[in-house]
Amino acid sequence: MKTFSIGGVHPNDNKISADAAIHDFDIPKVAYISMAQHLGAPAEPIVAVGDKVKVGQQIAKPSGFISAPVHSSVSGTVKAIDTIKDLAGNPCKAVIIDVEGDEWLETIDRSEKIESEIKLEPKEIVAKIAECGVVGLGGATFPTNVKLSPPPGKKAEFLIINGAECEPYLTSDYRLLIEKSEEVIIGAAIMMKALGVTKGFIGIEENKPEAIKKLSAIAPKYAGIEVVTLKKKYPQGGEKQLIKAVTGREVPSKGLPIDTGSVVQNVGTAFAVYEAVQKNKPLFEGIMTVTGDCSSAQKNFRHRVGTPMSEIMAACGGVPEDAAKVISGGPMMGKAMANLDAPTLKGTSSILYLTAEQTKRKEESNCIRCGKCVSACPMGLEPYLLNKLGRAGRMDDLEAHFVYDCIECGCCSYSCPAYIPLLDTIRLSKQRVMGIIRARAAKK
């Protein structure tokens, strides 16, 4: 059983929704489709108020190299192109569509037949993925076509599919692995062809035995694909940690996965690639978990992008009385929702309810230099020192101590017996240092 070698923690995985099969959530009456659904530049609308659109129709074009098109998840009439508030309460542009029926583009193959033959050539695969607006569904929502196009001088040797789902509570990837096993593997094979690699790994943590069993039975049918069982350990799903666990190679400081010959993609991304290339289906649906110890609803839904989160919550019995925070994502790296009416995005992975007891910050005391944060840091950093330097505003020293390598996993804060909010200070310090580095580079 494999894992990464430095740091990490072992929170209770709390996969209480693991037995909840994926169900289609109802189509909303009004869809609010954000133009900022991916890392990079927001998309630009190409429709006008009053236009009729179908499911799968492109409604926005990419506005830069790091950008992606956006497609309608519903059919109906464009009601407005306006500014709405996202989960954090920040303004973003959206195409608002009044839903009328459910008319799909005729070019989308809606059959359940599994298409295993990959007919497109590598460049055609990358173009199709770009055309269908596929982005990484592991959290960062980086445009997948860009990730499958290594820069000059860099060559991929492996594709790694991230099935770790190491965040507590989340089970959408697990259900997808079980229910769409072969499609995920074919998606991996498609990306291997696009990259020109002959070896692919699907890393799955040991707490998902059914998924490991199902994929291990199917993988031998597809050349070069191997299922790797990983030890349950957070943050196993971090790209750098997953590469170390699976290949033994280490991403260098300031480096990228491609520097180790690796390209990492999420399980959900592999399925989206399958649907795009084999079914001509753009990415306009996502799989999300609704969960929490205080919630009576334990669900996994396939949702249309642009569905108001409040509608999903209402359908699951509303916000539980005991919930003090509603999180989008997992408890370690997720973000508290400031706006419960915000719409779902391509990368929306969960609605997680946490109680006051689970979210209460205990009173901070003095650092006793126990070193637990150092032992827990999967990047081999010294969080107690970075916190001290950050609070003192010593940017040069922060850079010298590699603050930019922090992956913001929260292991340091989780392990601190003095309850010091280490990650809060380190995250802000990292942003400032990265700004200084970018400004310095711009002057050259």
Side-chain angles (χ1 to χ4, degrees):
M1 200 176 300
K2 296 186 176 183
T3 190
F4 55 98
S5 56
I6 300 174
V9 294
H10 297 267
N12 189 329
D13 58 11
N14 289 316
K15 304 289 188 179
I16 50 181
S17 56
D19 293 331
I22 298 168
H23 291 289
D24 288 322
F25 191 77
D26 292 342
I27 301 169
K29 293 179 180 177
V30 180
Y32 301 82
I33 303 178
S34 171
M35 298 294 98
Q37 304 224 35
H38 47 264
L39 195 70
E44 296 177 3
I46 56 173
V47 291
V49 174
D51 284 356
K52 297 284 186 181
V53 296
K54 294 182 180 180
V55 177
Q57 180 179 329
Q58 186 176 335
I59 59 173
K61 64 181 181 181
S63 59
F65 177 64
I66 309 294
S67 189
V70 174
H71 301 77
S72 178
S73 61
V74 295
S75 62
T77 303
V78 177
K79 176 183 179 181
I81 298 172
D82 204 351
T83 299
I84 63 169
K85 289 185 177 180
D86 65 13
L87 289 172
N90 299 318
C92 62
K93 185 181 286 187
V95 174
I96 303 169
I97 302 170
D98 279 330
V99 178
E100 299 155 5
D102 190 32
E103 187 179 357
W104 290 45
L105 286 178
E106 296 78 8
T107 51
I108 299 173
D109 179 0
R110 300 181 66 185
S111 72
E112 292 294 318
K113 182 185 175 186
I114 294 175
E115 300 289 347
S116 59
E117 184 184 356
I118 305 167
K119 297 177 181 178
L120 298 185
E121 294 303 312
K123 287 185 178 179
E124 295 173 319
I125 290 171
V126 175
K128 175 60 71 175
I129 288 169
E131 175 192 320
C132 288
V134 179
V135 299
L137 300 179
T141 59
F142 194 86
T144 302
N145 61 294
V146 178
K147 216 170 180 184
L148 294 177
S149 306
K154 306 286 185 181
K155 179 165 173 51
E157 297 176 52
F158 316 106
L159 173 73
I160 302 175
I161 300 299
N162 180 5
E165 199 169 41
C166 60
E167 272 272 12
Y169 291 100
L170 307 191
T171 59
S172 54
D173 282 355
Y174 173 59
R175 294 308 313 179
L176 195 58
L177 282 169
I178 291 172
E179 298 178 37
K180 299 292 181 182
S181 309
E182 189 149 12
E183 291 92 329
V184 168
I185 290 176
I186 296 168
I190 291 168
M191 289 188 279
M192 287 170 63
K193 184 174 181 179
L195 289 165
V197 302
T198 57
K199 191 63 185 174
F201 301 97
I202 302 176
I204 308 174
E205 283 196 334
E206 61 185 313
N207 60 348
K208 304 170 184 65
E210 189 177 344
I212 293 169
K213 184 179 177 181
K214 282 202 74 174
L215 272 82
S216 296
I218 299 170
K221 293 164 50 180
Y222 296 87
I225 296 180
E226 177 186 342
V227 176
V228 178
T229 301
L230 304 169
K231 186 177 179 181
K232 187 183 78 171
K233 187 178 178 184
Y234 176 87
Q236 192 89 251
E239 279 192 328
K240 295 175 182 180
Q241 286 66 45
L242 189 59
I243 290 167
K244 179 68 175 176
V246 172
T247 71
R249 299 184 182 185
E250 203 162 290
V251 179
S253 177
K254 288 189 179 179
L256 296 170
I258 194 64
D259 295 324
T260 67
S262 304
V263 173
V264 180
Q265 300 284 5
N266 178 261
V267 165
T269 312
F271 181 64
V273 164
Y274 167 81
E275 292 203 304
V277 175
Q278 305 296 80
K279 298 291 186 176
N280 200 36
K281 179 184 172 186
L283 180 56
F284 56 77
E285 292 182 311
I287 313 294
M288 68 183 298
T289 302
V290 180
T291 186
D293 294 310
C294 60
S295 176
S296 59
Q298 302 298 327
K299 304 285 187 181
N300 284 294
F301 286 122
R302 181 182 291 104
H303 63 91
R304 300 286 180 97
V305 167
T307 302
M309 296 284 248
S310 53
E311 289 188 15
I312 298 174
M313 294 178 203
C316 295
V319 178
E321 221 174 274
D322 295 342
K325 276 190 179 181
V326 185
I327 307 291
S328 177
M332 298 297 285
M333 294 186 74
K335 307 294 183 187
M337 297 187 203
N339 173 27
L340 301 186
D341 290 319
T344 60
L345 307 172
K346 294 178 182 180
T348 299
S349 62
S350 84
I351 295 172
L352 169 62
Y353 299 115
L354 297 178
T355 64
E357 182 61 31
Q358 289 173 310
T359 60
K360 183 181 178 182
R361 284 199 171 183
K362 296 184 180 179
E363 187 176 348
E364 178 182 343
S365 59
N366 293 329
C367 173
I368 58 172
R369 293 182 178 267
C370 65
K372 286 190 176 180
C373 62
V374 178
S375 298
C377 179
M379 294 304 297
L381 303 176
E382 298 174 288
Y384 77 92
L385 178 58
L386 297 177
N387 173 67
K388 185 177 179 180
L389 295 173
R391 291 187 178 190
R394 293 164 59 179
M395 296 299 115
D396 289 346
D397 288 332
L398 281 161
E399 185 176 352
H401 285 85
F402 311 103
V403 70
Y404 43 75
D405 281 337
C406 172
I407 61 170
E408 303 180 25
C409 63
C411 287
C412 54
S413 295
Y414 178 86
S415 62
C416 179
Y419 307 114
I420 299 169
L422 296 163
L423 179 58
D424 292 4
T425 303
I426 294 170
R427 180 186 281 130
L428 291 170
S429 301
K430 175 185 169 183
Q431 291 171 358
R432 290 180 65 188
V433 169
M434 292 301 292
I436 291 168
I437 292 172
R438 285 192 292 269
R440 186 192 306 145
K443 290 179 180 178
K444 290 183 180 178

